[in-house]
DNA sequence: AAATTTTCCGTGTGCGCACACAGAAAATTG
DNA sequence: CAATTTTCTGTGTGCGCACACGGAAAATTT
């Protein structure tokens, strides 16, 4: 080669194959119009020299503009879904010079109809790639199928569906995270203690995510043969009626003096912490999920013992980057990407915030 | 603007300021040779339009080659220092098209002289930026000072020194990680239990890293007023004499029947797990650091309860990327970057490996 | 065998920027 | 005021690649 950096360029290959750069280009992009003879010669040289296209130059030259669209639940400041969006923005800034734009669409996570409406908008936007939080699984699968038919790659974050039309998934192994939570909860718990499993009643039904977590949680005790060692009580709280929730919890503690721990599989364990505080009940080991909203102060003031987190910002970031790697850099993308199951305590949480 | 993407280019600014692109270039790079009048006009337009140079195009055009050099301890496969190097390699591949090369130098982490020798090699290599694991703090600080005098930015990973000539640091808050470990160890431990604090004797003396961890660990018990609640026993093990270590531990357990937990602040807790297994001692809560070597199987077979990890791969990756961002993209770099204090158990470790 | 179509291939241009060079304008000198 | 120096500014080239265009060579048709 005659270039300084020692990197193989198209023109190097062209010269070695005694053809023009244009011909090499045609081979590399599979655009045909090349005789088999020259094609094979070029490919063998590409192989031998381990040619790697200079992505910098490629993206500078590329005329094509990519349009990414994300579809996430609406949120208010401090809520869970702020984090994935932050990750998406970080990715956007990083890749916007590759002629990639990222638009955002939102739906109401308690209203399937709004998801459907947003889906339509998304399809009309004619995206080159999409990132979806499939809160409504069936509707999401339907959308993904349509995208697949149009050859538009899509990634899921947070949870995935059972259809196999998506390019990639970034999220937690919900079952295993419940299993890990069980271990933390059980550690040091006295025999015969009562464990509260608290759910929030929702119009839309229990999410698949929290359900799998609960399954994993229970599996721990079953596998260890601890189902008789503790008492499990299921509690249902309203999503909005605080007064009623207070009464409900008061009743439970009246009936059960041996409650040792409680767990909540969604991101609102701080509400339970609040209730316990109001009832002046102490010494209950509380475990919840995610860094959102009131959970951080609750962990810091020790009313919550552990939080299980799932790197939501990374999910957004990596989801977008996967699409970029696929479309722009033509890389292979791993299909299932489980995020680490982060265990947060008062003592280490500071190093997870804004990391 | 007349370009499609809506991005401001140098030529757009030139046209608006009624000058040539070359003049704008001179202003942007502070190369002088521009009249104050035009300079100010150009700068005001740059400001108003929020001009952001296209880094893609810049790096394609840039003639300058950057030479990064890393200085890490030598290691054998599976050992701790394999991870940072993996991160460095990942960064290297990602940035090699920006005309950045990364060379690696090594030293023997038990021999200060080898660090000094490697330092000399490093300086002779005339690097544009360096990444250093300052195992030998004084020697590292000296090296950093010389680099600083030559205007060569350097980052520390793993631990840092007290000099202030480094650009940035990526590593764990050792003290706090010891504090967090204490919390995990104490949870569920019965009153009066004995806690073993195990060190490895080293010729080079205790590393600053493990010392700070131990300080944080002890601080937890002091702050909580638990110093009398438990008994603390310090144990010293040889770095190589397994037979002697076995005898030493056997003696300890003969004398102390109430050992409830043990902690080791370096990455070799699996050795203690081995010893306990040979002595057929069970029910001891063992806590250690890092995912290296035998620690992973020890955690998985439950002979170790918790491992504290510090994302060594990320340290290497982010360290190199920081240098790249500083030199190539001229970005501001955060000086102190504490890595999350990851808490690993049998239940979540799988999702940290190869993440 | 000439005309037409199809297959194949080389050349040229531009992406946005850095940087070299030449040349114009202004300032200084004699 | 001409000659020289200094200050300033515009033009041109290339980084490695994608892609359009035009045209040569071969294959096919008339």
């Amino acid at each position: 080669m005659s270039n300084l950096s020692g990197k193989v360029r198209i023109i190097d290959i062209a010269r070695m194959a005694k053809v023009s750069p244009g011909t090499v280009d045609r081979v590399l992009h599979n655009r045909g119009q090349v005789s088999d003879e020259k094609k094979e010669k070029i490919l063998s040289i590409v192989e031998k020299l381990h040619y790697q296209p200079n992505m910098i130059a490629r993206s500078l030259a590329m005329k094509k503009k990519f349009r990414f669209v994300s579809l996430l639940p609406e949120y208010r400041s401090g809520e869970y879904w702020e984090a994935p969006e932050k990750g998406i923005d970080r990715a956007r800034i990083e890749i916007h010079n590759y002629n990639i734009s990222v638009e955002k669409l939102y739906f109401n996570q308690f209203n399937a109809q709004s998801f459907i409406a947003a889906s339509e908008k998304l399809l009309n936007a004619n995206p080159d790639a999409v990132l979806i939080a499939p809160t409504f699984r069936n509707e999401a699968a339907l959308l993904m199928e349509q995208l697949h038919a149009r050859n538009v790659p899509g990634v899921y974050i947070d949870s995935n569906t059972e259809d196999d039309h998506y390019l990639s998934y970034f999220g937690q192994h919900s079952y295993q995270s419940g299993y890990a939570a069980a271990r933390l909860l059980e550690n040091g718990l006295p025999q015969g203690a009562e464990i509260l499993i608290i759910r929030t009643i929702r119009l839309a039904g229990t999410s698949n995510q929290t359900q799998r977590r609960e399954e994993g949680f229970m599996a721990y005790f079953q596998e260890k043969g601890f189902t008789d060692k503790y008492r499990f009580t299921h509690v249902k709280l309203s999503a909005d009626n605080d007064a009623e929730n207070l009464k409900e919890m008061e009743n439970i503690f009246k009936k059960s003096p041996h409650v040792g721990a409680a767990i909540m599989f969604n991101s609102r364990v701080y509400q339970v912490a609040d209730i316990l505080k109001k009832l002046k009940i102490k010494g209950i080991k509380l475990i919840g999920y995610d860094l959102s909203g009131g959970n951080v102060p609750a962990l810091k003031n020790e009313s919550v013992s552990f939080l299980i987190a799932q790197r939501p910002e990374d999910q957004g970031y990596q989801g977008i980057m996967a699409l970029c790697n696929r479309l722009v850099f033509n890389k292979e993308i791993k299909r299932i990407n489980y995020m680490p199951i982060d265990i947060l305590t008062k003592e280490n949480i500071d190093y997870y915030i804004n990391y």
Side-chain angles (χ1 to χ4, degrees), chain A:
Chain A
M1 285 142 279
S2 63
N3 62 333
L4 358 151
S5 63
K7 286 178 218 151
V8 183
R9 300 161 301 174
I10 283 183
I11 196 161
D12 298 317
I13 296 171
R15 282 204 265 262
M16 292 189 68
K18 296 198 175 69
V19 296
S20 73
T23 303
V24 177
D25 178 77
R26 254 165 255 131
V27 172
L28 289 175
H29 291 81
N30 251 327
R31 296 209 201 96
Q33 308 285 81
V34 179
S35 65
D36 288 351
E37 182 198 7
K38 299 201 171 180
K39 180 173 176 177
E40 276 173 39
K41 184 162 188 185
I42 288 169
L43 282 178
S44 81
I45 294 177
V46 163
E47 194 73 18
K48 199 172 61 186
L49 268 54
H50 301 107
Y51 168 73
Q52 288 290 110
N54 183 332
M55 293 305 175
I56 304 290
R58 166 174 294 183
S59 60
L60 187 64
M62 196 144 46
K63 296 284 173 10
K64 171 127 187 70
K65 307 271 174 288
F66 293 99
R67 193 170 185 185
F68 291 6
V69 178
S70 73
L71 181 52
L72 302 179
E74 322 167 302
Y75 61 88
R76 286 192 298 274
S77 173
E79 285 182 351
Y80 177 79
W81 287 100
E82 191 173 14
E85 175 151 346
K86 213 170 144 191
I88 290 173
D89 284 334
R90 188 154 57 89
R92 186 163 50 99
I93 291 170
E94 203 169 308
I95 64 179
H96 89 279
N97 270 327
Y98 295 113
N99 291 325
I100 298 171
S101 69
V102 182
E103 293 158 48
K104 295 172 192 165
L105 292 173
Y106 300 93
F107 61 92
N108 179 329
Q109 62 182 308
F110 305 109
N111 178 353
Q113 203 54 47
S114 81
F115 185 93
I116 295 172
S119 298
E120 201 144 327
K121 259 194 214 166
L122 186 148
L123 288 169
N124 287 336
N126 238 24
D128 297 296
V130 298
L131 179 144
I132 300 174
T135 306
F136 299 101
R137 305 182 72 214
N138 297 334
E139 289 79 357
L142 203 69
L143 172 58
M144 192 60 85
E145 201 184 318
Q146 292 176 73
L147 290 165
H148 186 254
R150 299 184 187 194
N151 223 357
V152 175
V155 317
Y156 286 136
I157 65 166
D158 191 62
S159 60
N160 60 358
T161 77
E162 265 148 19
D163 81 298
D164 55 343
H165 294 310
Y166 61 92
L167 172 70
S168 186
Y169 162 66
F170 294 86
Q172 200 167 59
H173 194 300
S174 310
Y175 180 94
Q176 188 65 22
S177 82
Y179 195 91
R183 155 74 186 276
L184 294 172
L185 183 136
E186 194 251 341
N187 185 276
L189 204 62
Q191 182 146 2
E194 182 157 354
I195 297 170
L196 303 185
I197 295 165
I198 305 173
R199 290 195 199 168
T200 311
I201 308 272
R202 287 224 246 140
L203 295 171
T206 311
S207 85
N208 188 259
Q209 178 101 306
T210 57
Q211 204 172 314
R212 302 273 315 270
R213 287 173 182 166
E214 187 171 334
E215 285 166 22
F217 181 81
M218 294 311 298
Y220 176 87
F221 294 95
Q222 259 144 29
E223 284 177 21
K224 300 267 174 181
F226 286 170
T227 40
D228 293 332
K229 192 173 172 186
Y230 307 106
R231 280 190 54 207
F232 297 89
T233 304
H234 290 266
V235 182
K236 288 185 181 160
L237 294 185
S238 152
D240 41 20
N241 194 331
D242 287 356
E244 193 180 302
N245 288 342
L246 195 67
K247 229 169 57 187
E248 168 82 3
M249 289 293 282
E250 196 168 12
N251 277 334
I252 293 202
F253 279 94
K254 244 180 234 164
K255 277 188 278 185
S256 322
H258 297 304
V259 173
I263 187 163
M264 207 164 181
F265 296 106
N266 60 31
S267 60
R268 299 190 191 84
V269 73
Y270 66 94
Q271 292 176 345
V272 176
D274 281 351
I275 291 173
L276 294 184
K277 197 177 168 190
K278 280 181 191 154
L279 295 176
K280 296 197 167 55
I281 294 173
K282 289 186 179 173
I284 307 288
K285 190 191 250 187
L286 252 187
I287 295 187
Y289 279 76
D290 297 327
L291 277 183
S292 48
N295 282 353
V296 175
L299 189 69
K300 286 198 179 186
N301 70 28
E302 298 188 69
S303 54
V304 167
S305 296
F306 291 102
L307 287 175
I308 306 288
Q310 53 180 324
R311 309 211 189 162
E313 190 181 326
D314 268 12
Q315 291 182 27
Y317 175 79
Q318 293 188 36
I320 293 291
M321 293 310 278
L323 293 171
C324 174
N325 281 325
R326 182 75 192 76
L327 260 69
V328 182
F329 301 135
N330 211 26
K331 280 193 201 159
E332 280 297 310
I333 304 300
K334 211 173 136 205
R335 191 131 196 275
I336 301 291
N337 301 273
Y338 288 122
M339 313 305 286
I341 297 168
D342 287 327
I343 298 172
L344 308 191
T345 69
K346 183 195 179 194
E347 290 76 19
N348 74 351
I349 186 174
D350 281 338
Y351 302 96
Y352 282 88
I353 296 173
N354 288 328
Y355 172 72

